[in-house]
Amino acid sequence: VHKPANDAPLTTYMLAQCFQDAGLPAGVYNMIPGGDEPGKALVAHPDIDGLTFTGSYDVGMRILRKFSTSAGYIRPVITEMGGKNPTIITANADIEKAVSGVMRAGFGLTGQKCSACSRVFVHQDVKDVFVNKLIAMTEALNVGDPTRPDVFMGPLINETSYNAYKKYIEELSEHGTILTGGKVPDLGNGYYVTPTVVDNLADDHYLWQHEMFAPIITIKSYSDREQAMAEANNIDLGLTAGFYSENQQEIDWFLDKIEAGVVYVNRASSATTGAWPGYQAFGGWKASTGTGKGAGSNHYLQQYMREQSLTIVD
């Protein structure tokens, strides 16, 4: 039984069409569209053997607590939850790669993806050049109708996300410095916002920890790489992370220390997004997951299976 998000059912509908066209017998795959009520009914139903959820941490944890034991015994729940994904840029980085990767990871899909880059820790020696290039690249992006080939960033998905963006911008303006963005242009039908880069956000501000699910990147400089790593890991979530350095020892250090399930090094196409299912397993650590096993890995499918021992004695 497949229940898509109410605001984005088209992909699931097309998948259902593929199964039907392929001749899958009726009732094997079932799509149920709708708002919260169908999802709540599935979670509450005693005859559901197991459940997988992809979405926010808060909703995932509520489902995990309710579904796993509500039948009177433990039922398996696979929860794939959010991310607040960091990128670390060292003084030995290729800045052009870093700027391109951070921009694409932060603003692709209008920032509405669990793997979006939202926190950037950049060495103080290269911060100015990185920030200036990032601002220039960000301000050159076209915002508008995403069906047009010249448009990079489309609208937010709904009014709730739109109002949340405006609330975040108000707080970021008060507690940090908006270097570019923070606007809500009137471009016609759609909840349009501008890609936003923020500096000088207070260390204890909750938006360093909260997944905004919007095209907003916060930046902080560092002088000591251990400090940067500690701050990158100082969060309950651990989905993806990015790193830029041309120094192999620094790369090895990052891969050994970072607390995230999917990591990327020196990717100009995206700092924290773009894993290929089937080649790279996708899944998080800590509060980003309920299992610690990545989708597409050798261990993921077994979570849906039940082990049974059969012994034949001659």
Side-chain angles (χ1 to χ4, degrees), residues 156-205:
L156 291 171
I157 194 166
N158 55 30
E159 186 176 12
T160 299
S161 295
Y162 182 69
N163 290 333
Y165 173 89
K166 291 190 287 187
K167 174 178 174 288
Y168 299 145
I169 292 303
E170 183 178 340
E171 295 197 32
L172 292 167
S173 298
E174 181 179 351
H175 300 283
T177 304
I178 294 180
L179 302 178
T180 187
K183 309 295 183 184
V184 285
D186 183 4
L187 299 176
N189 185 28
Y191 297 105
Y192 293 100
V193 301
T194 51
T196 304
V197 179
V198 180
D199 196 4
N200 302 318
L201 181 63
D203 288 347
D204 59 352
H205 197 280

Side-chain angles (χ1 to χ4, degrees), residues 52-55 78-82 282-284 288-291 293 295 300:
T52 297
F53 167 80
T54 300
I78 300 172
T79 49
E80 309 293 357
M81 296 174 283
F282 187 86
S288 291
T289 179
T291 68
K293 296 177 172 62
Y300 203 77

Side-chain angles (χ1 to χ4, degrees), residues 11-75:
T11 301
T12 302
Y13 173 77
M14 295 177 72
L15 180 64
Q17 288 253 258
C18 289
F19 286 140
Q20 185 178 48
D21 293 346
L24 197 69
V28 175
Y29 173 88
N30 305 277
M31 172 189 172
I32 300 180
D36 292 340
E37 293 309 312
K40 291 178 180 178
L42 288 170
V43 171
H45 203 291
D47 292 335
I48 302 295
D49 290 324
L51 186 147
T52 297
F53 167 80
T54 300
S56 72
Y57 171 78
D58 291 339
V59 175
M61 291 304 295
R62 286 201 301 269
I63 289 174
L64 180 62
R65 294 185 186 103
K66 181 169 185 177
F67 181 84
S68 60
T69 59
S70 60
Y73 55 88
I74 296 174
R75 292 187 289 180

Side-chain angles (χ1 to χ4, degrees), residues 103 107 133-142 180-181 195-197:
M103 184 281 290
F107 303 142
K133 288 179 177 291
L134 179 62
I135 291 173
M137 184 174 284
T138 300
E139 292 180 346
L141 298 177
N142 286 333
T180 187
T196 304
V197 179

